[in-house]
Tab-separated table of all heavy atoms in Angstrom:
chain	number	residue	atom	x	y	z
A	1	MET	N	99.797	101.450	106.163
A	1	MET	CA	99.664	100.050	105.897
A	1	MET	C	100.843	99.337	106.553
A	1	MET	O	101.975	99.801	106.473
A	1	MET	CB	99.673	99.794	104.386
A	1	MET	CG	99.807	98.338	104.041
A	1	MET	SD	99.590	97.859	102.320
A	1	MET	CE	100.800	98.814	101.468
A	2	CYS	N	100.552	98.218	107.195
A	2	CYS	CA	101.599	97.435	107.852
A	2	CYS	C	101.549	95.985	107.385
A	2	CYS	O	100.481	95.458	107.076
A	2	CYS	CB	101.427	97.485	109.362
A	2	CYS	SG	101.650	99.130	110.060
A	3	LEU	N	102.728	95.364	107.318
A	3	LEU	CA	102.862	93.967	106.917
A	3	LEU	C	103.749	93.246	107.922
A	3	LEU	O	104.638	93.845	108.523
A	3	LEU	CB	103.493	93.856	105.529
A	3	LEU	CG	102.774	94.507	104.359
A	3	LEU	CD1	103.638	94.427	103.106
A	3	LEU	CD2	101.425	93.857	104.123
A	4	THR	N	103.534	91.946	108.045
A	4	THR	CA	104.431	91.141	108.867
A	4	THR	C	105.787	91.040	108.160
A	4	THR	O	105.909	91.350	106.976
A	4	THR	CB	103.860	89.722	109.066
A	4	THR	OG1	103.795	89.083	107.785
A	4	THR	CG2	102.496	89.745	109.730
A	5	ALA	N	106.776	90.573	108.889
A	5	ALA	CA	108.111	90.406	108.294
A	5	ALA	C	108.069	89.434	107.120
A	5	ALA	O	108.712	89.665	106.086
A	5	ALA	CB	109.092	89.923	109.360
A	6	GLU	N	107.293	88.372	107.248
A	6	GLU	CA	107.171	87.400	106.160
A	6	GLU	C	106.499	88.027	104.944
A	6	GLU	O	106.914	87.814	103.808
A	6	GLU	CB	106.376	86.174	106.615
A	6	GLU	CG	107.065	85.364	107.694
A	6	GLU	CD	106.844	85.908	109.106
A	6	GLU	OE1	106.004	86.820	109.300
A	6	GLU	OE2	107.530	85.439	110.021
A	7	ALA	N	105.447	88.820	105.183
A	7	ALA	CA	104.719	89.453	104.075
A	7	ALA	C	105.571	90.502	103.365
A	7	ALA	O	105.543	90.601	102.141
A	7	ALA	CB	103.418	90.067	104.580
A	8	ILE	N	106.353	91.293	104.109
A	8	ILE	CA	107.197	92.307	103.459
A	8	ILE	C	108.289	91.626	102.629
A	8	ILE	O	108.615	92.076	101.529
A	8	ILE	CB	107.799	93.321	104.466
A	8	ILE	CG1	108.475	94.487	103.743
A	8	ILE	CG2	108.785	92.716	105.399
A	8	ILE	CD1	107.592	95.494	103.164
A	9	ALA	N	108.827	90.512	103.118
A	9	ALA	CA	109.841	89.777	102.349
A	9	ALA	C	109.239	89.253	101.045
A	9	ALA	O	109.847	89.390	99.975
A	9	ALA	CB	110.407	88.630	103.179
A	10	LEU	N	108.042	88.695	101.112
A	10	LEU	CA	107.368	88.201	99.916
A	10	LEU	C	107.076	89.345	98.955
A	10	LEU	O	107.335	89.255	97.757
A	10	LEU	CB	106.074	87.480	100.303
A	10	LEU	CG	105.242	86.934	99.156
A	10	LEU	CD1	106.014	85.870	98.394
A	10	LEU	CD2	103.935	86.368	99.696
A	11	PHE	N	106.553	90.452	99.479
A	11	PHE	CA	106.248	91.634	98.668
A	11	PHE	C	107.483	92.135	97.936
A	11	PHE	O	107.451	92.392	96.734
A	11	PHE	CB	105.655	92.734	99.563
A	11	PHE	CG	105.499	94.054	98.900
A	11	PHE	CD1	104.536	94.250	97.915
A	11	PHE	CD2	106.311	95.122	99.250
A	11	PHE	CE1	104.391	95.483	97.299
A	11	PHE	CE2	106.164	96.359	98.639
A	11	PHE	CZ	105.205	96.538	97.665
A	12	LEU	N	108.590	92.277	98.649
A	12	LEU	CA	109.819	92.784	98.027
A	12	LEU	C	110.340	91.836	96.955
A	12	LEU	O	110.884	92.285	95.944
A	12	LEU	CB	110.881	93.041	99.094
A	12	LEU	CG	110.562	94.170	100.071
A	12	LEU	CD1	111.615	94.239	101.168
A	12	LEU	CD2	110.416	95.508	99.366
A	13	ASN	N	110.172	90.539	97.150
A	13	ASN	CA	110.583	89.569	96.121
A	13	ASN	C	109.679	89.618	94.899
A	13	ASN	O	110.143	89.416	93.781
A	13	ASN	CB	110.611	88.156	96.699
A	13	ASN	CG	111.837	87.915	97.543
A	13	ASN	OD1	112.931	88.314	97.180
A	13	ASN	ND2	111.644	87.291	98.680
A	14	ILE	N	108.401	89.889	95.111
A	14	ILE	CA	107.446	89.922	94.003
A	14	ILE	C	107.637	91.168	93.136
A	14	ILE	O	107.611	91.084	91.915
A	14	ILE	CB	105.997	89.849	94.523
A	14	ILE	CG1	105.708	88.452	95.057
A	14	ILE	CG2	104.994	90.214	93.432
A	14	ILE	CD1	104.375	88.333	95.773
A	15	ILE	N	107.833	92.338	93.751
A	15	ILE	CA	107.883	93.578	92.963
A	15	ILE	C	109.162	93.716	92.156
A	15	ILE	O	109.199	94.445	91.176
A	15	ILE	CB	107.647	94.830	93.821
A	15	ILE	CG1	108.726	94.999	94.892
A	15	ILE	CG2	106.261	94.814	94.422
A	15	ILE	CD1	108.664	96.313	95.633
A	16	MET	N	110.216	93.040	92.564
A	16	MET	CA	111.472	93.018	91.816
A	16	MET	C	111.978	94.410	91.432
A	16	MET	O	112.382	94.652	90.298
A	16	MET	CB	111.335	92.131	90.584
A	16	MET	CG	111.047	90.685	90.926
A	16	MET	SD	110.709	89.623	89.522
A	16	MET	CE	112.186	89.820	88.564
A	17	VAL	N	111.958	95.333	92.374
A	17	VAL	CA	112.524	96.661	92.148
A	17	VAL	C	114.043	96.528	92.216
A	17	VAL	O	114.570	95.920	93.147
A	17	VAL	CB	112.014	97.653	93.221
A	17	VAL	CG1	112.712	98.987	93.116
A	17	VAL	CG2	110.511	97.823	93.097
A	18	PRO	N	114.746	97.093	91.232
A	18	PRO	CA	116.199	96.897	91.201
A	18	PRO	C	116.941	97.576	92.349
A	18	PRO	O	118.027	97.148	92.713
A	18	PRO	CB	116.619	97.480	89.858
A	18	PRO	CG	115.510	98.372	89.448
A	18	PRO	CD	114.268	97.849	90.092
A	19	GLU	N	116.376	98.604	92.938
A	19	GLU	CA	117.104	99.343	93.965
A	19	GLU	C	116.315	99.407	95.268
A	19	GLU	O	115.268	100.037	95.345
A	19	GLU	CB	117.415	100.759	93.488
A	19	GLU	CG	118.187	101.553	94.484
A	19	GLU	CD	119.452	102.146	93.909
A	19	GLU	OE1	119.627	102.101	92.690
A	19	GLU	OE2	120.246	102.642	94.690
A	20	ILE	N	116.831	98.721	96.281
A	20	ILE	CA	116.259	98.735	97.621
A	20	ILE	C	117.405	98.978	98.586
A	20	ILE	O	118.440	98.317	98.518
A	20	ILE	CB	115.562	97.405	97.959
A	20	ILE	CG1	114.373	97.182	97.027
A	20	ILE	CG2	115.107	97.392	99.413
A	20	ILE	CD1	113.709	95.834	97.170
A	21	THR	N	117.238	99.946	99.469
A	21	THR	CA	118.228	100.259	100.487
A	21	THR	C	117.670	99.813	101.829
A	21	THR	O	116.491	100.017	102.106
A	21	THR	CB	118.497	101.780	100.532
A	21	THR	OG1	118.878	102.223	99.233
A	21	THR	CG2	119.575	102.122	101.529
A	22	SER	N	118.516	99.216	102.657
A	22	SER	CA	118.046	98.825	103.984
A	22	SER	C	119.072	99.221	105.027
A	22	SER	O	120.278	99.284	104.770
A	22	SER	CB	117.761	97.329	104.044
A	22	SER	OG	118.940	96.595	103.875
A	23	GLU	N	118.549	99.520	106.190
A	23	GLU	CA	119.351	99.804	107.371
A	23	GLU	C	118.532	99.300	108.543
A	23	GLU	O	117.348	98.995	108.369
A	23	GLU	CB	119.662	101.305	107.476
A	23	GLU	CG	118.433	102.183	107.478
A	23	GLU	CD	118.779	103.661	107.334
A	23	GLU	OE1	119.421	104.034	106.348
A	23	GLU	OE2	118.360	104.416	108.220
A	24	PRO	N	119.102	99.176	109.708
A	24	PRO	CA	118.325	98.652	110.828
A	24	PRO	C	117.031	99.457	111.053
A	24	PRO	O	117.066	100.674	111.212
A	24	PRO	CB	119.277	98.793	112.023
A	24	PRO	CG	120.637	98.754	111.411
A	24	PRO	CD	120.487	99.455	110.079
A	25	GLY	N	115.904	98.763	110.975
A	25	GLY	CA	114.622	99.396	111.231
A	25	GLY	C	114.006	100.145	110.068
A	25	GLY	O	112.943	100.762	110.212
A	26	ARG	N	114.634	100.137	108.889
A	26	ARG	CA	114.099	100.885	107.739
A	26	ARG	C	114.485	100.193	106.432
A	26	ARG	O	115.606	99.760	106.252
A	26	ARG	CB	114.633	102.310	107.728
A	26	ARG	CG	114.113	103.152	106.557
A	26	ARG	CD	114.611	104.586	106.622
A	26	ARG	NE	114.190	105.255	107.826
A	26	ARG	CZ	113.061	105.953	107.963
A	26	ARG	NH1	112.235	106.060	106.958
A	26	ARG	NH2	112.764	106.544	109.107
A	27	ILE	N	113.496	100.116	105.519
A	27	ILE	CA	113.717	99.633	104.158
A	27	ILE	C	113.201	100.718	103.222
A	27	ILE	O	112.092	101.213	103.401
A	27	ILE	CB	112.950	98.323	103.887
A	27	ILE	CG1	113.422	97.216	104.826
A	27	ILE	CG2	113.103	97.903	102.431
A	27	ILE	CD1	112.551	95.980	104.791
A	28	ILE	N	114.016	101.098	102.249
A	28	ILE	CA	113.609	102.123	101.283
A	28	ILE	C	113.569	101.492	99.904
A	28	ILE	O	114.577	100.999	99.398
A	28	ILE	CB	114.572	103.325	101.291
A	28	ILE	CG1	114.686	103.901	102.695
A	28	ILE	CG2	114.093	104.390	100.296
A	28	ILE	CD1	115.807	104.892	102.871
A	29	VAL	N	112.368	101.499	99.314
A	29	VAL	CA	112.171	100.983	97.962
A	29	VAL	C	112.250	102.175	97.019
A	29	VAL	O	111.429	103.097	97.104
A	29	VAL	CB	110.813	100.269	97.818
A	29	VAL	CG1	110.616	99.777	96.400
A	29	VAL	CG2	110.714	99.118	98.816
A	30	HIS	N	113.244	102.193	96.158
A	30	HIS	CA	113.446	103.307	95.232
A	30	HIS	C	112.657	103.022	93.952
A	30	HIS	O	113.147	102.361	93.034
A	30	HIS	CB	114.933	103.490	94.939
A	30	HIS	CG	115.749	103.707	96.172
A	30	HIS	ND1	115.782	104.905	96.845
A	30	HIS	CD2	116.541	102.864	96.877
A	30	HIS	CE1	116.573	104.802	97.902
A	30	HIS	NE2	117.042	103.569	97.943
A	31	ALA	N	111.421	103.518	93.906
A	31	ALA	CA	110.540	103.301	92.760
A	31	ALA	C	110.713	104.437	91.748
A	31	ALA	O	111.382	105.434	92.025
A	31	ALA	CB	109.098	103.226	93.219
A	32	GLU	N	110.083	104.283	90.575
A	32	GLU	CA	110.207	105.298	89.522
A	32	GLU	C	109.650	106.647	89.951
A	32	GLU	O	110.252	107.682	89.685
A	32	GLU	CB	109.488	104.827	88.261
A	32	GLU	CG	110.226	103.749	87.521
A	32	GLU	CD	109.523	103.372	86.228
A	32	GLU	OE1	108.822	104.232	85.653
A	32	GLU	OE2	109.678	102.223	85.803
A	33	SER	N	108.493	106.661	90.588
A	33	SER	CA	107.845	107.938	90.913
A	33	SER	C	108.387	108.566	92.194
A	33	SER	O	108.517	109.775	92.284
A	33	SER	CB	106.327	107.772	91.015
A	33	SER	OG	106.017	106.809	92.000
A	34	ARG	N	108.688	107.745	93.195
A	34	ARG	CA	109.248	108.254	94.457
A	34	ARG	C	109.652	107.071	95.332
A	34	ARG	O	109.296	105.945	95.059
A	34	ARG	CB	108.277	109.169	95.177
A	34	ARG	CG	107.037	108.499	95.706
A	34	ARG	CD	106.150	109.531	96.420
A	34	ARG	NE	104.770	109.281	96.130
A	34	ARG	CZ	104.076	109.774	95.131
A	34	ARG	NH1	104.645	110.568	94.274
A	34	ARG	NH2	102.814	109.486	94.962
A	35	ASP	N	110.378	107.364	96.386
A	35	ASP	CA	110.804	106.325	97.319
A	35	ASP	C	109.670	105.973	98.275
A	35	ASP	O	108.908	106.854	98.690
A	35	ASP	CB	112.007	106.799	98.150
A	35	ASP	CG	113.251	106.976	97.309
A	35	ASP	OD1	113.262	106.523	96.152
A	35	ASP	OD2	114.221	107.565	97.826
A	36	ALA	N	109.584	104.706	98.629
A	36	ALA	CA	108.633	104.244	99.639
A	36	ALA	C	109.439	103.765	100.841
A	36	ALA	O	110.301	102.887	100.713
A	36	ALA	CB	107.769	103.121	99.094
A	37	HIS	N	109.189	104.360	101.974
A	37	HIS	CA	109.908	104.021	103.203
A	37	HIS	C	109.061	103.065	104.036
A	37	HIS	O	107.902	103.354	104.328
A	37	HIS	CB	110.190	105.283	104.025
A	37	HIS	CG	111.148	106.206	103.356
A	37	HIS	ND1	112.443	106.357	103.786
A	37	HIS	CD2	111.014	107.012	102.278
A	37	HIS	CE1	113.060	107.233	103.008
A	37	HIS	NE2	112.209	107.640	102.086
A	38	TRP	N	109.646	101.948	104.419
A	38	TRP	CA	109.027	100.980	105.315
A	38	TRP	C	109.802	101.039	106.619
A	38	TRP	O	111.027	100.973	106.620
A	38	TRP	CB	109.101	99.575	104.728
A	38	TRP	CG	108.196	99.378	103.556
A	38	TRP	CD1	108.466	99.687	102.253
A	38	TRP	CD2	106.873	98.855	103.578
A	38	TRP	NE1	107.388	99.366	101.472
A	38	TRP	CE2	106.394	98.854	102.255
A	38	TRP	CE3	106.041	98.373	104.586
A	38	TRP	CZ2	105.124	98.391	101.916
A	38	TRP	CZ3	104.779	97.909	104.245
A	38	TRP	CH2	104.332	97.924	102.930
A	39	VAL	N	109.091	101.180	107.740
A	39	VAL	CA	109.715	101.341	109.045
A	39	VAL	C	109.254	100.218	109.962
A	39	VAL	O	108.065	99.871	109.988
A	39	VAL	CB	109.342	102.713	109.651
A	39	VAL	CG1	109.981	102.907	111.005
A	39	VAL	CG2	109.748	103.842	108.707
A	40	ALA	N	110.182	99.660	110.725
A	40	ALA	CA	109.846	98.601	111.677
A	40	ALA	C	109.079	99.205	112.848
A	40	ALA	O	109.527	100.166	113.469
A	40	ALA	CB	111.111	97.918	112.172
A	41	VAL	N	107.889	98.649	113.112
A	41	VAL	CA	107.058	99.059	114.245
A	41	VAL	C	106.688	97.777	114.985
A	41	VAL	O	105.877	96.989	114.501
A	41	VAL	CB	105.784	99.805	113.781
A	41	VAL	CG1	104.918	100.168	114.971
A	41	VAL	CG2	106.136	101.027	112.948
A	42	GLU	N	107.315	97.585	116.122
A	42	GLU	CA	107.176	96.347	116.884
A	42	GLU	C	107.511	95.155	115.991
A	42	GLU	O	108.634	95.045	115.538
A	42	GLU	CB	105.794	96.261	117.513
A	42	GLU	CG	105.565	97.344	118.546
A	42	GLU	CD	104.206	97.279	119.186
A	42	GLU	OE1	103.496	96.264	119.046
A	42	GLU	OE2	103.854	98.268	119.845
A	43	ASP	N	106.560	94.276	115.684
A	43	ASP	CA	106.872	93.092	114.877
A	43	ASP	C	106.330	93.198	113.452
A	43	ASP	O	106.170	92.192	112.766
A	43	ASP	CB	106.344	91.827	115.552
A	43	ASP	CG	104.836	91.849	115.747
A	43	ASP	OD1	104.236	92.935	115.641
A	43	ASP	OD2	104.257	90.774	116.012
A	44	GLU	N	106.058	94.414	112.975
A	44	GLU	CA	105.563	94.631	111.619
A	44	GLU	C	106.387	95.716	110.922
A	44	GLU	O	107.120	96.453	111.556
A	44	GLU	CB	104.092	95.053	111.633
A	44	GLU	CG	103.146	93.990	112.133
A	44	GLU	CD	101.707	94.420	112.002
A	44	GLU	OE1	101.385	95.579	112.305
A	44	GLU	OE2	100.908	93.580	111.577
A	45	TRP	N	106.220	95.772	109.589
A	45	TRP	CA	106.839	96.811	108.772
A	45	TRP	C	105.715	97.690	108.229
A	45	TRP	O	104.778	97.185	107.614
A	45	TRP	CB	107.632	96.189	107.626
A	45	TRP	CG	108.888	95.542	108.119
A	45	TRP	CD1	109.034	94.266	108.546
A	45	TRP	CD2	110.151	96.175	108.262
A	45	TRP	NE1	110.328	94.045	108.945
A	45	TRP	CE2	111.035	95.201	108.776
A	45	TRP	CE3	110.636	97.447	108.008
A	45	TRP	CZ2	112.378	95.476	109.040
A	45	TRP	CZ3	111.968	97.709	108.264
A	45	TRP	CH2	112.823	96.745	108.774
A	46	CYS	N	105.805	99.005	108.459
A	46	CYS	CA	104.718	99.917	108.094
A	46	CYS	C	105.221	101.006	107.135
A	46	CYS	O	106.372	101.421	107.197
A	46	CYS	CB	104.148	100.580	109.344
A	46	CYS	SG	103.502	99.394	110.547
A	47	THR	N	104.302	101.463	106.267
A	47	THR	CA	104.597	102.540	105.330
A	47	THR	C	103.408	103.489	105.244
A	47	THR	O	102.266	103.080	105.454
A	47	THR	CB	104.943	102.004	103.931
A	47	THR	OG1	105.332	103.100	103.106
A	47	THR	CG2	103.782	101.275	103.293
A	48	MET	N	103.686	104.716	104.915
A	48	MET	CA	102.639	105.711	104.669
A	48	MET	C	102.450	105.910	103.167
A	48	MET	O	101.724	106.795	102.748
A	48	MET	CB	103.022	107.046	105.315
A	48	MET	CG	103.052	107.027	106.827
A	48	MET	SD	101.410	106.866	107.543
A	48	MET	CE	100.659	108.395	107.048
A	49	ALA	N	103.089	105.091	102.336
A	49	ALA	CA	103.034	105.268	100.882
A	49	ALA	C	101.608	105.341	100.332
A	49	ALA	O	101.329	106.217	99.509
A	49	ALA	CB	103.824	104.165	100.182
A	50	PRO	N	100.662	104.475	100.728
A	50	PRO	CA	99.311	104.596	100.167
A	50	PRO	C	98.655	105.942	100.492
A	50	PRO	O	98.008	106.547	99.639
A	50	PRO	CB	98.542	103.444	100.822
A	50	PRO	CG	99.589	102.452	101.190
A	50	PRO	CD	100.791	103.283	101.561
A	51	GLN	N	98.855	106.438	101.697
A	51	GLN	CA	98.278	107.730	102.074
A	51	GLN	C	98.942	108.871	101.309
A	51	GLN	O	98.276	109.812	100.874
A	51	GLN	CB	98.414	107.967	103.589
A	51	GLN	CG	97.588	107.029	104.419
A	51	GLN	CD	98.296	105.733	104.774
A	51	GLN	OE1	99.242	105.314	104.130
A	51	GLN	NE2	97.820	105.075	105.821
A	52	ILE	N	100.248	108.792	101.119
A	52	ILE	CA	100.964	109.825	100.373
A	52	ILE	C	100.514	109.839	98.922
A	52	ILE	O	100.282	110.899	98.335
A	52	ILE	CB	102.491	109.613	100.500
A	52	ILE	CG1	102.917	109.858	101.947
A	52	ILE	CG2	103.259	110.501	99.527
A	52	ILE	CD1	104.325	109.414	102.267
A	53	ASP	N	100.334	108.664	98.327
A	53	ASP	CA	99.844	108.584	96.943
A	53	ASP	C	98.444	109.180	96.827
A	53	ASP	O	98.144	109.901	95.880
A	53	ASP	CB	99.825	107.138	96.450
A	53	ASP	CG	101.220	106.577	96.235
A	53	ASP	OD1	102.177	107.373	96.155
A	53	ASP	OD2	101.345	105.344	96.146
A	54	ARG	N	97.578	108.878	97.789
A	54	ARG	CA	96.210	109.417	97.773
A	54	ARG	C	96.222	110.937	97.887
A	54	ARG	O	95.521	111.631	97.160
A	54	ARG	CB	95.390	108.787	98.902
A	54	ARG	CG	93.934	109.173	98.881
A	54	ARG	CD	93.054	108.391	99.849
A	54	ARG	NE	93.654	108.076	101.135
A	54	ARG	CZ	94.049	106.852	101.517
A	54	ARG	NH1	93.931	105.830	100.702
A	54	ARG	NH2	94.574	106.668	102.705
A	55	MET	N	97.069	111.481	98.772
A	55	MET	CA	97.163	112.935	98.911
A	55	MET	C	97.660	113.573	97.619
A	55	MET	O	97.180	114.634	97.225
A	55	MET	CB	98.076	113.299	100.084
A	55	MET	CG	97.472	112.998	101.430
A	55	MET	SD	98.452	113.568	102.848
A	55	MET	CE	99.990	112.723	102.613
A	56	ALA	N	98.598	112.941	96.947
A	56	ALA	CA	99.128	113.476	95.683
A	56	ALA	C	98.037	113.491	94.612
A	56	ALA	O	97.926	114.447	93.841
A	56	ALA	CB	100.323	112.653	95.218
A	57	ARG	N	97.214	112.433	94.563
A	57	ARG	CA	96.121	112.395	93.579
A	57	ARG	C	95.097	113.497	93.860
A	57	ARG	O	94.631	114.166	92.945
A	57	ARG	CB	95.438	111.027	93.582
A	57	ARG	CG	96.252	109.944	92.905
A	57	ARG	CD	95.430	108.687	92.648
A	57	ARG	NE	94.822	108.138	93.845
A	57	ARG	CZ	95.396	107.255	94.668
A	57	ARG	NH1	96.615	106.836	94.410
A	57	ARG	NH2	94.769	106.792	95.717
A	58	PHE	N	94.748	113.703	95.130
A	58	PHE	CA	93.797	114.761	95.472
A	58	PHE	C	94.364	116.136	95.177
A	58	PHE	O	93.661	117.031	94.719
A	58	PHE	CB	93.376	114.663	96.941
A	58	PHE	CG	92.420	113.548	97.231
A	58	PHE	CD1	92.568	112.768	98.349
A	58	PHE	CD2	91.375	113.262	96.360
A	58	PHE	CE1	91.685	111.714	98.618
A	58	PHE	CE2	90.483	112.214	96.615
A	58	PHE	CZ	90.634	111.453	97.750
A	59	ALA	N	95.639	116.329	95.430
A	59	ALA	CA	96.280	117.608	95.137
A	59	ALA	C	96.240	117.890	93.638
A	59	ALA	O	96.021	119.023	93.214
A	59	ALA	CB	97.713	117.618	95.652
A	60	ALA	N	96.444	116.856	92.822
A	60	ALA	CA	96.398	117.020	91.375
A	60	ALA	C	94.992	117.394	90.921
A	60	ALA	O	94.816	118.203	90.007
A	60	ALA	CB	96.861	115.747	90.676
A	61	LEU	N	93.973	116.827	91.554
A	61	LEU	CA	92.588	117.166	91.213
A	61	LEU	C	92.281	118.618	91.561
A	61	LEU	O	91.575	119.303	90.806
A	61	LEU	CB	91.612	116.240	91.953
A	61	LEU	CG	91.576	114.786	91.476
A	61	LEU	CD1	90.685	113.971	92.391
A	61	LEU	CD2	91.095	114.706	90.032
A	62	LYS	N	92.775	119.095	92.692
A	62	LYS	CA	92.525	120.477	93.108
A	62	LYS	C	93.220	121.472	92.173
A	62	LYS	O	92.751	122.565	91.976
A	62	LYS	CB	93.021	120.694	94.534
A	62	LYS	CG	92.113	120.124	95.577
A	62	LYS	CD	92.640	120.481	96.958
A	62	LYS	CE	91.660	120.099	98.028
A	62	LYS	NZ	92.143	120.511	99.346
A	63	ALA	N	94.362	121.066	91.629
A	63	ALA	CA	95.141	121.957	90.762
A	63	ALA	C	94.451	122.185	89.420
A	63	ALA	O	94.713	123.168	88.740
A	63	ALA	CB	96.536	121.375	90.542
A	64	ASP	N	93.567	121.273	89.031
A	64	ASP	CA	92.892	121.406	87.724
A	64	ASP	C	91.809	122.429	87.732
A	64	ASP	O	91.175	122.884	88.481
A	64	ASP	CB	92.302	120.055	87.296
A	64	ASP	CG	93.394	119.059	86.951
A	64	ASP	OD1	94.519	119.500	86.679
A	64	ASP	OD2	93.106	117.854	86.959
């Protein structure tokens, strides 16, 4: 999933996570379950968090 710079700024303000780390080209949102990494790709910020969450849910289903 990718967001524009304006959309990622709005998203980060809305979620109000107390711990966010940033460095050039990367934003790390430290959530309760795991960290979400956002990476600058051209003029957007992209994350694999939705795909990682989906894989974790499927893995949990297979384990049952």
Side-chain angles (χ1 to χ4, degrees):
M1 169 171 57
C2 295
L3 300 173
T4 64
E6 295 83 10
I8 189 76
L10 179 63
F11 171 71
L12 293 174
N13 283 318
I14 289 172
I15 62 172
M16 298 174 58
V17 173
E19 181 126 10
I20 296 174
T21 305
S22 65
E23 56 190 58
R26 180 177 300 270
I27 299 170
I28 304 168
V29 178
H30 303 283
E32 286 184 28
S33 58
R34 67 179 141 270
D35 293 348
H37 293 253
W38 289 85
V39 180
V41 178
E42 295 180 14
D43 60 344
E44 294 185 317
W45 288 89
C46 301
T47 185
M48 293 291 294
Q51 293 88 339
I52 293 168
D53 290 343
R54 186 171 38 252
M55 289 186 301
R57 285 193 304 272
F58 285 138
L61 289 174
K62 283 184 172 183
D64 291 340

